[in-house]
Amino acid sequence: MPTVRNRRDLASASEAELQRLREPRDDLLLEREVGPAHFIQARGPFVEYERRLAEDATGVTESISYRFHIPWFGWIFALPVRHSLRRPSGRTPWWAPPDRLDAERVRILGLLCAAGLVFGYCSVVFSQTIAFAADEFGASEGDQALAGTVVRWGVLLTLALTALTDRLGRRRVLVGTAILCPLLTAAAALAPSLAALTAAQTVARPVALALGITISIVAAEEMPSGSRAYAVSLIALVYALGGGLCIMALPLADLGERGWRLVYAVPLVLLVIAFDVARHLPESKRFARPHAERPPLPRRRFVLVALGGLLFNLLVASSTFYENRYLKDERGYSATDITIYTLVTSTPGGIGVYLGGRLADTRGRRLVGAVGLVVGAIGTVLVFTLAGSGMWLSKLVLVSILGSMSIPVLGVYGPELFPTGARGRANGFRTVIAIVGSTISLGVAGTLLDRGTSYGAVMALLAIGPLVAAVLMLVAYPETAHVELEELNPEDRVRGE
């Protein structure tokens, strides 16, 4: 096991500091004293842990032996954990969840994040490669738009798959979709025509969406009440990383007219992750416990959550779809300029996602979500209105960092507000309605832009959506931070007891 040794000399250390060493730690973990100067973990994230003190005439030597296991991402936390154990007791590190997780929950969260890589890659590959595929097939922009619409409405398959999570269990659907995603995505590499590619992705992308929804459901059910949004924020960051891997693979499309097919084959490597998840991910404990089967959806909550997703997508769908076109046609950006702009202004969005998750758990969902929605909407309008540094700063600060704070809030509300027996079904319907919002957004924006309306005016009109969503969140959404799912959904508590 790794060992950390800290030395405190009597000449330089205060008596209060030495006394803290002699007491059980209460920060990243809670210790229990089992003997003189001998401590083990009472509650915490370590698989194995032991701390011993050795005092002599000149000072105290602290030796900490530990082992922790975070599937696939342990290397990221190796140095932060070691650094935290070197510091005096009493302060939970900023990167740790608000609640103290045990080793099993840490392992589950790591597996969910790993599965998120599969979702992240497979959910964006079609939009990233459609232009290259169209060149090989000689397809027009209209053909591409039609293909995108058809693939988008494959979400009806997502609804069927998420409904199965309420009948067959979270684990079976999550594992099945994690394995199917890379296989179905890779099958598109063999498509002989745009129609065949569209048909393949009309199946593959909805399977990926079902995987993403199931991951968020398991995270909400397995994490403690004060860290659900934190877990969703970490998973959202890994989703983005998966999408980034797809962008990193995109240069394969430059190898020749058929090079785009290699981008679809890359996910076969991700089967290693899928099989690891299949071996080690347990069934959600909340699903395994007795619960109401196929309870009716709470109508008010469903309307709130579904309407919130629809209103949010009114702006987001068009702003992301038309941004590159706006930069090229209105600001004269080259492809290289657009790439630099996107990397510089979008990458820091991870800061906002993380902060949003942590603040949603510590300060409450509603205020954090509403602020993110309002600031993100204002920033998006400014991006499509201002030029130069004003456009860059609006995207970087208002949209990417502050606006992204709403992402974990919107992500965690979906699983929280519905009982176990309806959680998959509710979130499947919610996704379908969000797609409706995207379709309305693209239709309205396309029509207005074709009539000569400015980009800024179009985005200002669509920004009404997230602004209304922010008001709804403040006045109508329940506050769910630090509330157990059984308290939010009495159906589960009554049947469970």
Side-chain angles (χ1 to χ4, degrees):
M1 292 191 295
T3 300
V4 172
R5 289 185 173 84
N6 301 317
R7 176 70 181 177
R8 302 290 190 277
D9 294 325
L10 296 178
S12 57
S14 67
E15 181 58 33
E17 184 178 356
L18 294 175
Q19 184 58 33
R20 281 201 301 271
L21 286 179
R22 302 183 185 107
E23 297 174 350
R25 292 183 71 115
D26 185 6
D27 42 36
L28 186 61
L29 77 157
L30 177 65
E31 290 182 338
R32 177 165 60 89
E33 189 170 8
V34 294
H38 184 197
F39 304 87
I40 62 172
Q41 175 180 262
R43 293 198 306 273
F46 298 101
V47 178
E48 297 180 63
Y49 177 90
E50 181 182 58
R51 182 168 71 95
R52 293 180 179 272
L53 300 178
E55 300 194 36
D56 54 38
T58 60
V60 179
T61 300
E62 178 186 49
S63 297
I64 303 174
S65 299
Y66 64 94
R67 183 168 68 88
F68 70 98
H69 178 55
I70 305 177
W72 297 93
F73 299 98
W75 58 276
I76 296 177
F77 292 93
L79 288 179
V81 167
R82 191 174 185 86
H83 176 71
S84 177
L85 293 178
R86 286 190 178 279
R87 301 180 64 181
S89 172
R91 184 184 303 175
T92 301
W94 62 269
W95 48 266
D99 287 325
R100 185 182 289 120
L101 302 186
D102 58 28
E104 183 181 13
R105 280 171 164 160
V106 168
R107 180 175 62 87
I108 290 172
L109 184 55
L111 290 170
L112 294 176
C113 286
L117 275 177
V118 181
F119 163 74
Y121 192 106
C122 295
S123 64
V124 304
V125 65
F126 181 74
S127 61
Q128 293 296 326
T129 58
I130 180 62
F132 298 96
D135 288 341
E136 178 185 339
F137 299 134
S140 66
E141 290 190 10
D143 295 333
Q144 296 176 52
L146 177 60
T149 301
V150 172
V151 169
R152 188 181 300 273
W153 279 103
V155 72
L156 296 176
L157 175 58
T158 301
L159 175 59
L161 291 172
T162 53
L164 285 178
T165 67
D166 295 332
R167 298 179 58 190
L168 304 180
R170 319 306 192 202
R171 183 186 181 280
R172 292 173 68 179
V173 174
L174 194 153
V175 168
T177 52
I179 293 173
L180 281 175
C181 272
L183 294 175
L184 293 172
T185 300
L190 304 175
S193 64
L194 181 60
L197 174 63
T198 302
Q201 279 295 293
T202 301
V203 177
R205 190 170 183 273
V207 171
L209 289 176
L211 171 61
I213 293 171
T214 308
I215 289 171
S216 66
I217 289 174
V218 175
E221 291 181 342
E222 288 294 313
M223 295 301 112
S225 61
S227 296
R228 290 193 294 260
Y230 169 89
V232 169
S233 71
L234 289 188
I235 293 169
L237 290 176
V238 180
Y239 288 169
L241 177 60
L245 291 177
C246 182
I247 294 174
M248 291 171 61
L250 200 57
L252 293 171
D254 291 332
L255 296 178
E257 189 178 60
R258 298 168 62 85
W260 61 270
R261 298 175 182 272
L262 297 175
V263 183
Y264 281 87
V266 168
L268 291 176
V269 178
L270 300 179
L271 283 172
V272 176
I273 291 176
F275 290 134
D276 186 57
V277 171
R279 285 194 299 268
H280 298 112
L281 183 70
E283 179 57 88
S284 161
K285 293 183 182 63
R286 279 190 163 92
F287 181 84
R289 290 202 296 259
H291 58 269
E293 296 182 6
R294 294 191 60 80
L297 293 181
R299 292 184 181 179
R300 183 175 182 275
R301 289 184 176 184
F302 179 75
V303 170
L304 284 174
V305 172
L307 184 59
L310 185 150
L311 292 170
F312 176 73
N313 271 7
L314 286 180
L315 179 62
V316 171
S318 287
S319 63
T320 54
F321 186 83
Y322 287 107
E323 185 174 43
N324 285 359
R325 173 175 154 183
Y326 167 76
L327 294 172
K328 177 179 176 294
D329 296 344
E330 300 292 321
R331 300 305 176 195
Y333 277 33
S334 66
T336 301
D337 294 334
I338 293 174
T339 300
I340 295 172
Y341 169 84
T342 302
L343 289 175
V344 171
T345 60
S346 297
T347 304
I351 299 172
V353 172
Y354 176 81
L355 287 177
R358 190 168 188 87
L359 289 174
D361 280 329
T362 56
R363 304 293 183 182
R365 316 280 199 242
R366 294 186 297 180
L367 181 60
V368 174
V371 169
L373 288 169
V374 171
V375 175
I378 294 172
T380 299
V381 174
L382 292 177
V383 166
F384 284 88
T385 304
L386 302 177
S389 60
M391 179 181 72
W392 284 64
L393 287 174
S394 296
K395 179 66 180 291
L396 174 64
V397 178
L398 299 182
V399 179
S400 292
I401 296 179
L402 297 179
S404 293
M405 291 170 57
S406 64
I407 292 176
V409 176
L410 293 170
V412 78
Y413 262 130
E416 287 180 328
L417 294 182
F418 302 100
T420 300
R423 199 162 283 141
R425 178 162 41 105
N427 282 274
F429 278 118
R430 174 194 181 203
T431 302
V432 171
I433 295 175
I435 295 296
V436 172
S438 298
T439 304
I440 294 172
S441 173
L442 295 176
V444 170
T447 300
L448 292 177
L449 291 172
D450 288 342
R451 292 178 178 177
T453 308
S454 69
Y455 280 92
V458 171
M459 296 305 158
L461 174 64
L462 296 175
I464 295 174
L467 294 179
V468 173
V471 174
L472 284 175
M473 188 168 290
L474 283 175
V475 303
Y477 276 60
E479 183 54 70
T480 58
H482 299 282
V483 182
E484 293 291 346
L485 296 182
E486 289 75 16
E487 295 180 50
L488 293 168
N489 303 282
E491 302 95 325
D492 293 336
R493 184 183 61 214
V494 171
R495 289 293 297 271
E497 293 175 349

